[in-house]
Amino acid sequence: MSTILSISDLSKTYDGGFTALHPLNLDIARGEIFALLGPNGAGKTTLISIICGLVNASTGRVSVDGHDSITGFRKARAQIGLVPQELATESFETVWATVSFSRGLFGKPPNPALIEKILRDLSLWDKKDNRILTLSGGMKRRVMIAKALSHEPRILFLDEPTAGVDVDLRRDMWRLVRRLKDAGVTIILTTHYIEEAEEMADRIGVINRGRLMLVEEKDALMRNLGRKQVTVTLASQLGALPARLAERGVRLGDDGRALTWIYEPARVRAGMPGLLADIAAEGLTVADIDTRRSSLEDIFVDLVKGAQ
Amino acid sequence: MNLRAIAAIYRYEMDRTRRTILQSVVAPVISTALYFVVFGAAIGGHMGAVGGVPYGAFIVPGLMMMSLLTQSISNASFGIYFPRFVGTFYEQLSAPISVVEIVTAYVGAAATKSVMLGLIILATAALFTPLSVQHPFWMLGFLVLTAVTFSLFGFAIGIWADNFEKLQLMPMLVVTPLAFLGGSFYSIDMLPPFWRSVSLFNPVVYLISGFRWSFFGTSDVNIVVSLAMTLGFMVACLAIIGWMFRTGYRLKA
Ligand SMILES: Nc1ncnc2c1ncn2[C@@H]1O[C@H](COP(=O)(O)OP(=O)(O)OP(=O)(O)O)[C@@H](O)[C@H]1O
Ligand SMILES: [Mg+2]
């Protein structure tokens, strides 16, 4: 794995004395999509803001493709595009002007064809001559994305890109992110929508109260921590749970008909077949079976709850 | 040097002026015209010449300086305050640009506007009173130097201010009184000795006096002192701005 972004011992204590980030280490691989998950106030925006130069770190350093973010800020920042969480746009400028401005700000020569492509990709082309204040909130967010893409960053930070965004735009955004990844762009995004991380990310980091709780490949995370829950509905009501099933950890629902069992596929030897055999041995008749894989959301809630 | 970034910011700032042409240019011209009507025509008619210069012409350099000071400060302070206020300044902070480049772009644009404004006022004044400039090169030099210096001052104020009141505070509470008492409408030689000495602590006196020298060849204080004072103030502003960016003062948490 070739590292494009390396964060070492990075911490932040704000002026008021509040420590938003405890010393944190993280390496981001070239070309990956990294999702940072965490509840409100976890420190996601703080971390991104330090990397992008909006907030001073208290300790530690960041290196972007080998360039220190402070001493080599020009080369480091030239590679980074940022779409911040807060909606902040010009008002009286046109969409075209503000996106072109961003490209100039990052020292790139004008490239109208590229900007046209970006605006078309983001469905902003027919709005290019509109003043930004005449756009809707979702469109303004697209403008901010267009600004970040205008200078062809190699690393893109999306701080809650889909907050307050409709389903269509969210789909568009996912498509865009995949296209960028295919073009070799490294993407770091924060989100509260766990489905989003589950859908898109290669790796997931969970941050809580300024501490990185876990960083793992998404697939491995789902495999290791993901559990299955099976619900067996019986044909007839059951007065009490047979001992054989109780030993397994099966629970009986209040209606006396639903048996639920949560198991971790990797660890349990017999798994489903064993359960069904036990049920059959008790002479029970099965009416329906439903299995559900626990989502990243369950994992996340467990992690954050567990820490409290 | 990220010249494209400087150009982008400069162009953006100049576009802003074009959009707000009314308050940026028309308003100061009207207020200057009013000064001429009141001080030049109405009162000036009853005043004798000052140091051999007719009163109507005598007030021209002072009036230009007054507009130059207030407009440089308000242009530059607003130019940096507004993007901070609406939150779009994140982009400048995250861009590969140095402090020198940011300051060059913002202060350059503000100073350009002020110089243009000063020249427009000069042209307006020429409509009211016959004028000749003895040292046009020095006149332009003082104009540019003052515009740059006070745009730097305004830039620092725009970073310091964390609300709109503070943005107005400095120009209203400090600069306007100093400019008024800086000899725009009189020569400090006309003052009693005590007040004359007090006036020498007012930096604006040196600006106006030097500027007036470039018009008429006479001044209240030594021209070298005038230049030195202006340059000294400029260096002080540069130092403050440098410190602000180095520590992230009110720019970065
Ligand atoms: N400028 C600041 N001064 C003081 N405290 C701050 C500042 N900015 C953020 N904080 C605090 O730091 C903590 C982390 O904030 P941060 O914005 O990084 O959280 P987040 O993970 O992005 O949350 P969210 O999901 O709500 O966006 C919060 O407790 C917040 O109140
Ligand atoms: Mg945040």
Side-chain angles (χ1 to χ4, degrees):
Chain A
M1 150 177 141
S2 136
T3 299
I4 192 164
L5 181 69
S6 178
I7 298 163
S8 38
D9 292 324
L10 203 66
S11 78
K12 176 65 186 178
T13 300
Y14 281 108
D15 281 347
F18 179 77
T19 300
L21 221 51
H22 296 278
L24 181 147
N25 294 284
L26 178 65
D27 282 348
I28 302 290
R30 196 178 303 275
E32 74 171 328
I33 300 181
F34 188 90
L36 202 53
L37 282 173
N40 288 133
K44 304 182 292 295
T45 301
T46 301
L47 176 61
I48 291 181
S49 299
I50 295 174
I51 299 169
C52 294
L54 313 188
V55 167
N56 289 324
S58 302
T59 67
R61 55 191 294 272
V62 176
S63 147
V64 182
D65 210 4
H67 306 289
D68 185 88
S69 68
I70 308 284
T71 56
F73 76 96
R74 252 185 234 278
K75 287 192 169 140
R77 289 187 198 166
Q79 310 196 38
I80 295 181
L82 166 66
V83 182
Q85 180 175 8
E86 300 285 332
L87 211 53
T89 54
E90 301 295 333
S91 299
F92 304 106
E93 292 271 284
T94 64
V95 171
W96 181 269
T98 201
V99 176
S100 305
F101 169 83
S102 300
R103 189 171 166 86
L105 198 60
F106 278 72
K108 292 278 169 76
N111 185 346
L114 175 82
I115 293 183
E116 173 171 348
K117 182 177 183 315
I118 292 170
L119 292 183
R120 285 192 190 279
D121 283 351
L122 288 161
S123 315
L124 282 171
W125 182 244
D126 55 332
K127 299 282 182 189
K128 71 179 163 57
D129 296 319
N130 284 43
R131 287 173 166 210
I132 299 165
L133 86 168
T134 66
L135 303 183
S136 75
M139 291 174 187
K140 284 180 187 157
R141 191 164 289 282
R142 291 181 218 213
V143 170
M144 293 180 69
I145 297 171
K147 282 165 81 70
L149 294 179
S150 70
H151 51 85
E152 304 162 87
R154 303 307 301 153
I155 306 175
L156 182 65
F157 286 92
L158 298 167
D159 198 353
E160 290 185 38
T162 50
V165 148
D166 71 12
V167 181
D168 270 357
L169 178 50
R170 193 150 10 136
R171 289 263 132 69
D172 281 357
M173 207 94 83
W174 291 3
R175 223 171 291 135
L176 178 79
V177 166
R178 277 201 205 91
R179 244 190 345 250
L180 289 168
K181 179 188 159 76
D182 290 343
V185 178
T186 306
I187 293 154
I188 295 152
L189 56 89
T190 74
T191 179
H192 287 152
Y193 299 111
I194 291 157
E195 54 186 284
E196 206 160 80
E198 203 166 337
E199 166 102 20
M200 312 222 296
D202 299 316
R203 276 200 308 159
I204 288 173
V206 176
I207 186 171
N208 189 31
R209 299 177 172 202
R211 288 197 165 86
L212 204 52
M213 317 279 299
L214 162 153
V215 176
E216 205 161 349
E217 300 283 329
K218 182 190 68 191
D219 294 338
L221 184 65
M222 300 296 296
R223 227 174 12 248
N224 293 341
L225 287 173
R227 289 162 305 188
K228 275 188 167 175
Q229 171 175 315
V230 55
T231 306
V232 177
T233 311
L234 300 172
S236 53
Q237 220 168 7
L238 210 59
L241 192 63
R244 202 197 305 245
L245 293 176
E247 276 166 23
R248 271 188 180 278
V250 173
R251 283 199 308 267
L252 181 63
D254 290 339
D255 63 354
R257 289 183 57 185
L259 298 173
T260 57
W261 186 46
I262 295 173
Y263 68 107
E264 288 167 19
R267 287 195 217 139
V268 175
R269 259 174 303 117
M272 275 282 278
L275 175 71
L276 291 178
D278 284 352
I279 289 173
E282 291 292 334
L284 303 171
T285 314
V286 173
D288 193 15
I289 299 178
D290 183 32
T291 60
R292 187 171 76 86
R293 198 180 225 303
S294 74
S295 69
L296 190 55
E297 179 143 17
D298 303 328
I299 300 171
F300 174 66
V301 168
D302 283 355
L303 261 177
V304 170
K305 284 267 162 54
Q308 278 165 3
Chain B
M1 201 69 169
N2 188 345
L3 292 176
R4 291 202 184 92
I6 298 179
I9 296 175
Y10 186 87
R11 205 173 312 123
Y12 171 82
E13 284 295 298
M14 296 313 278
D15 282 347
R16 192 165 62 79
T17 314
R18 218 164 300 136
R19 281 199 302 266
T20 56
I21 195 89
L22 221 61
Q23 75 241 48
S24 318
V25 175
V26 179
V29 168
I30 290 179
S31 69
T32 310
L34 287 175
Y35 275 119
F36 275 113
V37 172
V38 174
F39 287 98
I43 297 175
H46 303 280
M47 301 274 291
V50 185
V53 180
Y55 190 69
F58 176 82
I59 63 173
V60 172
L63 279 180
M64 283 175 74
M65 269 297 162
M66 267 174 60
S67 295
L68 209 60
L69 299 192
T70 49
Q71 290 301 311
S72 296
I73 291 175
S74 77
N75 277 334
S77 61
F78 197 77
I80 182 79
Y81 177 76
F82 197 69
R84 285 178 55 223
F85 178 71
V86 297
T88 55
F89 202 64
Y90 80 86
E91 207 179 10
Q92 279 86 325
L93 288 176
S94 71
I97 44 180
S98 66
V99 183
V100 174
E101 287 153 6
I102 290 189
V103 174
T104 305
Y106 278 101
V107 169
T112 306
K113 284 182 235 178
S114 303
V115 169
M116 284 182 342
L117 186 75
L119 294 176
I120 291 172
I121 290 173
L122 183 62
T124 314
L127 298 177
F128 288 87
T129 174
L131 264 177
S132 68
V133 181
Q134 280 198 10
H135 307 287
F137 172 77
W138 282 103
M139 193 274 281
L140 267 178
F142 266 110
L143 202 64
V144 172
L145 186 64
T146 310
V148 169
T149 303
F150 280 81
S151 295
L152 283 169
F153 186 46
F155 191 81
I157 290 174
I159 296 176
W160 165 76
D162 45 15
N163 57 44
F164 273 100
E165 269 99 71
K166 281 193 188 168
L167 203 60
Q168 310 283 355
L169 200 70
M170 273 286 187
M172 257 175 36
L173 237 55
V174 182
V175 179
T176 306
L178 285 184
F180 243 92
L181 300 174
S184 293
F185 301 107
Y186 55 83
S187 161
I188 60 167
D189 287 337
M190 293 169 159
L191 296 172
F194 173 73
W195 289 110
R196 190 175 186 284
S197 307
V198 171
S199 290
L200 291 177
F201 287 98
N202 178 356
V204 179
V205 165
Y206 298 89
L207 289 174
I208 293 181
S209 177
F211 197 47
R212 193 175 279 141
W213 168 85
S214 71
F215 276 75
F216 310 121
T218 56
S219 68
D220 296 347
V221 293
N222 190 327
I223 162 96
V224 176
V225 179
S226 285
L227 265 177
M229 289 289 283
T230 314
L231 284 171
F233 189 51
M234 183 162 109
V235 170
C237 290
L238 279 173
I240 290 170
I241 292 170
W243 172 83
M244 282 172 157
F245 273 89
R246 210 168 41 250
T247 58
Y249 174 83
R250 294 206 175 155
L251 289 168
K252 297 183 188 187

